[in-house]
Coordinates of all heavy atoms in Angstrom, one line a residue:
M1 N 0.9 -1.2 0.0 CA 0.0 0.0 0.0 C 0.9 1.2 0.0 O 1.8 1.4 0.8 CB -0.9 0.0 1.2 CG -1.6 1.3 1.5 SD -2.7 1.3 2.9 CE -4.1 0.6 2.1
H2 N 0.6 2.2 -0.9 CA 1.3 3.4 -1.0 C 0.5 4.5 -0.4 O -0.6 4.7 -0.7 CB 1.6 3.7 -2.5 CG 2.2 5.0 -2.7 ND1 1.6 6.1 -3.2 CD2 3.5 5.5 -2.5 CE1 2.4 7.1 -3.2 NE2 3.6 6.8 -2.8
L3 N 1.1 5.2 0.6 CA 0.5 6.4 1.2 C 1.4 7.6 1.2 O 2.7 7.4 1.1 CB 0.2 6.1 2.7 CG -0.8 4.9 3.0 CD1 -0.8 4.6 4.5 CD2 -2.2 5.2 2.4
I4 N 0.9 8.8 1.1 CA 1.6 10.0 1.2 C 1.3 10.6 2.6 O 0.2 11.0 2.8 CB 1.3 10.9 0.1 CG1 1.7 10.2 -1.2 CG2 2.1 12.2 0.2 CD1 1.1 10.9 -2.5
I5 N 2.3 10.6 3.5 CA 2.1 11.1 4.8 C 3.0 12.3 5.1 O 4.2 12.3 4.9 CB 2.5 10.0 5.8 CG1 1.7 8.7 5.5 CG2 2.4 10.4 7.3 CD1 2.2 7.5 6.3
N6 N 2.3 13.4 5.4 CA 3.0 14.7 5.6 C 3.9 15.0 4.4 O 5.0 15.5 4.6 CB 3.7 14.8 6.9 CG 2.8 14.7 8.1 OD1 1.6 15.0 8.0 ND2 3.3 14.4 9.2
G7 N 3.4 14.7 3.2 CA 4.2 15.1 2.0 C 5.2 14.1 1.6 O 5.9 14.2 0.5
Q8 N 5.4 13.0 2.4 CA 6.4 12.0 2.1 C 5.8 10.7 1.7 O 4.9 10.2 2.3 CB 7.4 11.8 3.2 CG 8.2 13.0 3.6 CD 9.2 12.7 4.7 OE1 9.1 11.7 5.4 NE2 10.1 13.6 4.9
S9 N 6.3 10.1 0.6 CA 5.8 8.8 0.1 C 6.3 7.7 1.0 O 7.4 7.6 1.4 CB 6.3 8.6 -1.3 OG 5.8 7.4 -1.9
R10 N 5.3 6.9 1.4 CA 5.6 5.7 2.3 C 5.0 4.5 1.7 O 3.9 4.5 1.2 CB 5.1 5.9 3.7 CG 5.7 7.1 4.4 CD 7.1 6.8 5.0 NE 7.1 5.6 5.9 CZ 7.0 5.7 7.2 NH1 6.9 6.8 7.9 NH2 7.1 4.6 7.9
Q11 N 5.6 3.3 1.8 CA 5.1 2.1 1.3 C 4.9 1.1 2.5 O 5.7 1.1 3.4 CB 6.1 1.4 0.4 CG 5.6 0.4 -0.5 CD 4.6 0.9 -1.6 OE1 4.8 2.0 -2.0 NE2 3.7 0.1 -2.0
F12 N 3.7 0.4 2.5 CA 3.4 -0.5 3.6 C 3.0 -1.8 3.0 O 2.5 -1.9 1.9 CB 2.2 0.1 4.4 CG 2.5 1.3 5.2 CD1 2.3 2.6 4.6 CD2 3.1 1.3 6.4 CE1 2.7 3.7 5.2 CE2 3.4 2.5 7.1 CZ 3.2 3.7 6.5
E13 N 3.4 -2.9 3.7 CA 3.2 -4.3 3.3 C 1.7 -4.6 3.2 O 1.3 -5.4 2.3 CB 3.9 -5.3 4.2 CG 5.4 -5.1 4.2 CD 6.0 -5.6 2.9 OE1 5.5 -6.6 2.3 OE2 7.0 -5.0 2.4
Q14 N 0.9 -4.1 4.1 CA -0.5 -4.5 4.1 C -1.5 -3.3 4.2 O -1.0 -2.2 4.5 CB -0.7 -5.4 5.3 CG -0.4 -4.7 6.6 CD -0.3 -5.7 7.8 OE1 -0.2 -6.9 7.6 NE2 -0.4 -5.2 9.0
A15 N -2.7 -3.6 4.0 CA -3.8 -2.5 4.2 C -3.8 -2.1 5.7 O -3.6 -2.9 6.6 CB -5.1 -3.1 3.7
L16 N -4.1 -0.8 5.9 CA -4.1 -0.3 7.2 C -5.4 0.5 7.4 O -5.9 1.1 6.5 CB -2.9 0.6 7.5 CG -1.5 0.1 7.3 CD1 -0.5 1.3 7.2 CD2 -1.2 -0.8 8.4
N17 N -5.8 0.6 8.7 CA -6.8 1.6 9.1 C -6.0 2.8 9.8 O -4.8 2.6 10.0 CB -7.9 1.1 9.9 CG -7.4 0.5 11.2 OD1 -6.5 1.0 11.9 ND2 -8.0 -0.6 11.6
V18 N -6.6 3.8 10.1 CA -6.0 5.0 10.6 C -5.3 4.6 12.0 O -4.2 5.0 12.3 CB -6.9 6.2 10.8 CG1 -6.2 7.4 11.5 CG2 -7.4 6.7 9.4
Q19 N -6.0 3.9 12.8 CA -5.5 3.5 14.1 C -4.2 2.7 14.0 O -3.2 3.0 14.7 CB -6.5 2.7 14.9 CG -6.1 2.3 16.3 CD -5.9 3.5 17.2 OE1 -6.7 4.4 17.3 NE2 -4.8 3.5 18.0
T20 N -4.2 1.8 13.1 CA -3.0 0.9 12.9 C -1.8 1.8 12.4 O -0.7 1.6 12.8 CB -3.3 -0.2 12.0 OG1 -4.4 -1.0 12.5 CG2 -2.1 -1.2 11.8
L21 N -2.1 2.7 11.5 CA -1.1 3.6 11.0 C -0.5 4.4 12.1 O 0.7 4.5 12.1 CB -1.7 4.5 9.9 CG -0.7 5.5 9.3 CD1 0.4 4.8 8.5 CD2 -1.4 6.6 8.5
V22 N -1.3 5.0 12.9 CA -0.8 5.8 14.0 C 0.1 5.0 14.9 O 1.2 5.4 15.3 CB -2.0 6.4 14.9 CG1 -1.5 7.0 16.2 CG2 -2.7 7.5 14.0
E23 N -0.3 3.7 15.2 CA 0.6 2.9 16.0 C 1.9 2.5 15.3 O 3.0 2.5 15.9 CB -0.2 1.6 16.3 CG -1.4 1.9 17.3 CD -2.3 0.7 17.4 OE1 -2.1 -0.4 16.8 OE2 -3.3 0.8 18.1
E24 N 1.8 2.2 14.0 CA 3.0 1.9 13.2 C 4.0 3.0 13.1 O 5.2 2.8 13.2 CB 2.6 1.6 11.7 CG 1.9 0.3 11.5 CD 2.8 -0.9 11.2 OE1 3.8 -0.6 10.6 OE2 2.4 -2.0 11.5
L25 N 3.5 4.2 13.1 CA 4.4 5.4 13.0 C 4.9 5.9 14.4 O 5.7 6.7 14.5 CB 3.6 6.6 12.3 CG 3.2 6.4 10.9 CD1 2.4 7.6 10.4 CD2 4.5 6.1 10.0
G26 N 4.3 5.3 15.5 CA 4.7 5.6 16.8 C 4.3 7.0 17.2 O 4.9 7.6 18.1
I27 N 3.1 7.4 16.7 CA 2.6 8.7 17.0 C 1.7 8.6 18.3 O 0.9 7.6 18.4 CB 1.7 9.2 15.9 CG1 2.6 9.5 14.7 CG2 1.0 10.5 16.3 CD1 1.8 9.8 13.4
N28 N 1.8 9.5 19.2 CA 1.0 9.6 20.4 C -0.4 10.0 20.0 O -0.6 11.2 19.6 CB 1.5 10.5 21.4 CG 0.7 10.6 22.7 OD1 -0.4 10.1 22.8 ND2 1.3 11.2 23.7
G29 N -1.4 9.1 19.9 CA -2.7 9.4 19.5 C -3.5 10.4 20.4 O -4.5 10.9 20.0
Q30 N -3.0 10.6 21.6 CA -3.7 11.5 22.5 C -3.5 13.0 22.1 O -4.3 13.8 22.5 CB -3.2 11.3 23.9 CG -3.4 9.9 24.4 CD -4.9 9.6 24.6 OE1 -5.7 10.5 24.6 NE2 -5.2 8.3 24.7
V31 N -2.4 13.3 21.4 CA -2.1 14.7 21.1 C -1.9 14.9 19.6 O -1.1 15.7 19.1 CB -0.8 15.1 21.8 CG1 -1.1 15.2 23.3 CG2 0.4 14.2 21.5
C32 N -2.7 14.3 18.8 CA -2.6 14.5 17.3 C -4.0 14.4 16.6 O -5.0 13.9 17.2 CB -1.7 13.5 16.7 SG -2.3 11.8 16.4
A33 N -4.0 15.0 15.4 CA -5.2 14.9 14.6 C -4.7 14.3 13.2 O -3.6 14.6 12.8 CB -5.8 16.2 14.4
I34 N -5.6 13.6 12.6 CA -5.3 13.0 11.3 C -6.3 13.5 10.3 O -7.5 13.4 10.5 CB -5.3 11.4 11.4 CG1 -4.4 10.9 12.5 CG2 -5.0 10.8 10.0 CD1 -3.0 11.0 12.2
A35 N -5.8 14.0 9.2 CA -6.6 14.4 8.0 C -6.3 13.4 6.9 O -5.1 13.1 6.6 CB -6.3 15.8 7.6
R36 N -7.3 12.8 6.3 CA -7.2 11.9 5.2 C -7.8 12.6 3.9 O -9.0 12.9 3.9 CB -7.9 10.6 5.5 CG -8.0 9.7 4.3 CD -8.8 8.4 4.7 NE -8.9 7.6 3.5 CZ -10.0 7.0 3.2 NH1 -11.1 7.2 3.9 NH2 -10.1 6.2 2.1
N37 N -7.0 12.8 2.9 CA -7.4 13.5 1.7 C -8.1 14.8 2.1 O -9.2 15.1 1.6 CB -8.3 12.6 0.9 CG -7.5 11.3 0.5 OD1 -6.4 11.4 0.2 ND2 -8.2 10.2 0.5
S38 N -7.5 15.6 3.0 CA -8.0 16.9 3.4 C -9.3 16.9 4.3 O -9.9 18.0 4.5 CB -8.2 17.8 2.2 OG -7.0 18.0 1.4
V39 N -9.7 15.7 4.8 CA -10.8 15.6 5.6 C -10.3 15.1 7.0 O -9.8 14.0 7.0 CB -11.9 14.8 5.0 CG1 -13.1 14.6 6.0 CG2 -12.4 15.3 3.7
V40 N -10.6 15.8 8.1 CA -10.2 15.3 9.4 C -11.0 14.1 9.8 O -12.2 14.0 9.6 CB -10.4 16.4 10.5 CG1 -10.1 15.9 11.9 CG2 -9.5 17.6 10.2
V41 N -10.3 13.0 10.2 CA -11.0 11.8 10.7 C -11.1 11.9 12.2 O -10.1 12.1 12.9 CB -10.1 10.6 10.3 CG1 -10.8 9.3 10.8 CG2 -9.8 10.5 8.8
K42 N -12.4 11.8 12.7 CA -12.6 11.8 14.1 C -11.9 10.6 14.8 O -11.9 9.5 14.3 CB -14.1 11.7 14.4 CG -14.9 12.9 13.9 CD -16.4 12.7 14.2 CE -17.2 13.9 13.7 NZ -18.6 13.7 13.9
K43 N -11.4 10.9 15.9 CA -10.6 9.9 16.7 C -11.4 8.6 16.9 O -10.9 7.5 16.8 CB -10.1 10.4 18.0 CG -9.0 9.6 18.6 CD -8.3 10.3 19.7 CE -7.5 11.5 19.1 NZ -6.5 12.0 20.0
E44 N -12.7 8.7 17.2 CA -13.5 7.6 17.4 C -13.8 6.7 16.1 O -14.2 5.6 16.2 CB -14.9 7.9 18.0 CG -15.7 8.9 17.2 CD -15.6 10.4 17.6 OE1 -14.6 10.7 18.2 OE2 -16.5 11.1 17.3
D45 N -13.4 7.3 14.9 CA -13.5 6.6 13.7 C -12.2 6.0 13.2 O -12.2 5.3 12.1 CB -14.1 7.5 12.6 CG -15.5 8.0 12.9 OD1 -16.2 7.2 13.6 OD2 -15.9 9.0 12.4
W46 N -11.1 6.2 13.9 CA -9.8 5.8 13.4 C -9.8 4.3 13.1 O -9.3 3.8 12.1 CB -8.7 6.1 14.4 CG -8.3 7.5 14.4 CD1 -8.9 8.6 13.7 CD2 -7.2 8.1 15.1 NE1 -8.2 9.8 14.0 CE2 -7.2 9.5 14.9 CE3 -6.3 7.6 16.0 CZ2 -6.3 10.3 15.4 CZ3 -5.4 8.4 16.6 CH2 -5.3 9.8 16.3
A47 N -10.3 3.5 14.0 CA -10.3 2.0 13.9 C -11.1 1.5 12.7 O -10.9 0.4 12.2 CB -10.7 1.3 15.2
H48 N -12.1 2.3 12.3 CA -13.0 1.9 11.3 C -12.8 2.6 9.9 O -13.5 2.3 9.0 CB -14.5 2.2 11.7 CG -14.8 1.6 13.1 ND1 -14.9 0.3 13.3 CD2 -15.0 2.2 14.3 CE1 -15.2 0.1 14.6 NE2 -15.2 1.3 15.2
T49 N -11.8 3.4 9.9 CA -11.5 4.1 8.6 C -10.3 3.4 7.9 O -9.2 3.6 8.3 CB -11.1 5.6 8.9 OG1 -12.2 6.2 9.6 CG2 -10.8 6.4 7.6
Q50 N -10.7 2.6 6.9 CA -9.7 1.9 6.1 C -9.0 2.8 5.1 O -9.7 3.6 4.4 CB -10.4 0.7 5.4 CG -9.5 -0.3 4.9 CD -8.8 -1.1 6.0 OE1 -9.3 -1.2 7.1 NE2 -7.6 -1.5 5.7
L51 N -7.7 2.8 5.1 CA -7.0 3.6 4.1 C -6.9 2.9 2.8 O -6.9 1.7 2.7 CB -5.6 3.8 4.7 CG -5.5 4.6 6.0 CD1 -4.1 4.6 6.6 CD2 -6.1 6.0 5.9
Q52 N -6.8 3.7 1.7 CA -6.8 3.2 0.4 C -5.4 3.6 -0.2 O -4.8 4.6 0.2 CB -7.9 3.9 -0.5 CG -9.3 3.6 0.1 CD -9.7 2.2 0.0 OE1 -9.4 1.5 -0.9 NE2 -10.3 1.7 1.1
D53 N -5.0 2.9 -1.2 CA -3.8 3.2 -1.9 C -3.8 4.6 -2.4 O -4.8 5.1 -3.0 CB -3.6 2.2 -3.1 CG -2.2 2.0 -3.5 OD1 -1.3 2.0 -2.7 OD2 -2.0 1.8 -4.7
N54 N -2.7 5.3 -2.3 CA -2.5 6.7 -2.7 C -3.2 7.7 -1.8 O -3.3 8.9 -2.3 CB -2.8 6.9 -4.2 CG -1.8 6.1 -5.0 OD1 -0.6 6.1 -4.8 ND2 -2.3 5.4 -6.0
D55 N -3.8 7.3 -0.7 CA -4.4 8.3 0.2 C -3.3 9.3 0.6 O -2.1 9.0 0.8 CB -4.9 7.7 1.5 CG -6.4 7.2 1.3 OD1 -7.0 7.5 0.2 OD2 -6.9 6.5 2.2
R56 N -3.7 10.6 0.8 CA -2.8 11.6 1.4 C -3.2 11.9 2.8 O -4.4 12.2 3.1 CB -2.9 12.9 0.5 CG -2.4 12.7 -0.8 CD -2.5 14.1 -1.6 NE -1.7 14.0 -2.8 CZ -0.4 14.2 -2.9 NH1 0.3 14.6 -1.8 NH2 0.2 14.1 -4.1
L57 N -2.3 11.8 3.7 CA -2.6 11.9 5.1 C -1.7 13.0 5.7 O -0.5 13.2 5.4 CB -2.3 10.6 5.9 CG -3.2 9.5 5.4 CD1 -2.5 8.2 5.4 CD2 -4.4 9.4 6.3
E58 N -2.3 13.8 6.6 CA -1.5 14.8 7.3 C -1.7 14.5 8.8 O -2.8 14.3 9.3 CB -2.1 16.2 7.1 CG -1.9 16.7 5.7 CD -0.4 16.9 5.3 OE1 0.4 17.3 6.2 OE2 -0.1 16.7 4.1
C59 N -0.6 14.3 9.5 CA -0.6 14.0 10.9 C -0.2 15.2 11.6 O 1.0 15.7 11.5 CB 0.4 12.8 11.2 SG 0.0 11.3 10.3
L60 N -1.1 15.8 12.4 CA -0.8 17.1 13.1 C -0.7 16.8 14.6 O -1.6 16.4 15.2 CB -1.9 18.1 12.8 CG -2.3 18.2 11.3 CD1 -3.6 19.0 11.2 CD2 -1.2 18.9 10.6
Q61 N 0.5 17.1 15.1 CA 0.7 16.8 16.5 C 0.6 18.2 17.3 O 1.2 19.1 16.9 CB 2.0 16.2 16.8 CG 2.0 14.7 16.2 CD 3.2 14.0 16.6 OE1 4.0 14.4 17.5 NE2 3.4 12.8 16.0
F62 N -0.1 18.2 18.4 CA -0.3 19.4 19.2 C 0.8 19.5 20.1 O 1.3 18.6 20.7 CB -1.6 19.3 19.9 CG -2.8 19.1 19.0 CD1 -3.5 17.9 19.0 CD2 -3.2 20.1 18.1 CE1 -4.6 17.8 18.1 CE2 -4.2 19.9 17.2 CZ -5.0 18.7 17.3
M63 N 1.2 20.8 20.3 CA 2.3 21.1 21.3 C 1.9 22.1 22.3 O 1.2 23.0 21.9 CB 3.5 21.6 20.5 CG 4.1 20.6 19.5 SD 5.4 21.3 18.5 CE 6.6 21.6 19.7
G64 N 2.3 22.0 23.5 CA 2.0 23.0 24.5 C 3.0 24.1 24.5 O 4.0 24.0 23.9
G65 N 2.7 25.1 25.2 CA 3.6 26.2 25.3 C 2.9 27.5 25.4 O 1.7 27.6 25.4
G66 N 3.7 28.5 25.3 CA 3.0 29.8 25.4 C 3.9 31.0 25.1 O 5.0 30.9 24.6

């Protein structure tokens, strides 16, 4: 499966859902948002949102500070 994540091309051996992708990438799911093809995927839908070949994903991690 070919995905474009934050502008970088990535290849994966098997089909993934958003939850599995977050785990594979080692992203802390508590402090990030995922947009698939410019549409934000609600966190409660991550496990049920199957990714397709050539999907474009943006992983946005929140940072604290001031």
Side-chain angles (χ1 to χ4, degrees):
M1 166 178 277
H2 174 255
L3 299 173
I4 300 168
I5 304 169
N6 292 342
Q8 295 185 347
S9 182
R10 297 280 304 261
Q11 198 69 30
F12 295 90
E13 294 288 324
Q14 60 192 18
L16 302 168
N17 61 39
V18 174
Q19 181 66 46
T20 306
L21 176 69
V22 168
E23 293 167 3
E24 289 266 331
L25 297 176
I27 296 172
N28 181 348
Q30 299 294 344
V31 293
C32 76
I34 305 292
R36 175 182 175 225
N37 301 322
S38 300
V39 177
V40 174
V41 180
K42 294 180 183 178
K43 198 168 289 198
E44 58 264 22
D45 294 334
W46 284 7
H48 307 291
T49 302
Q50 195 66 30
L51 299 174
Q52 303 295 318
D53 204 34
N54 295 315
D55 274 350
R56 291 183 169 273
L57 298 142
E58 294 294 327
C59 302
L60 310 167
Q61 294 189 9
F62 304 110
M63 298 175 64

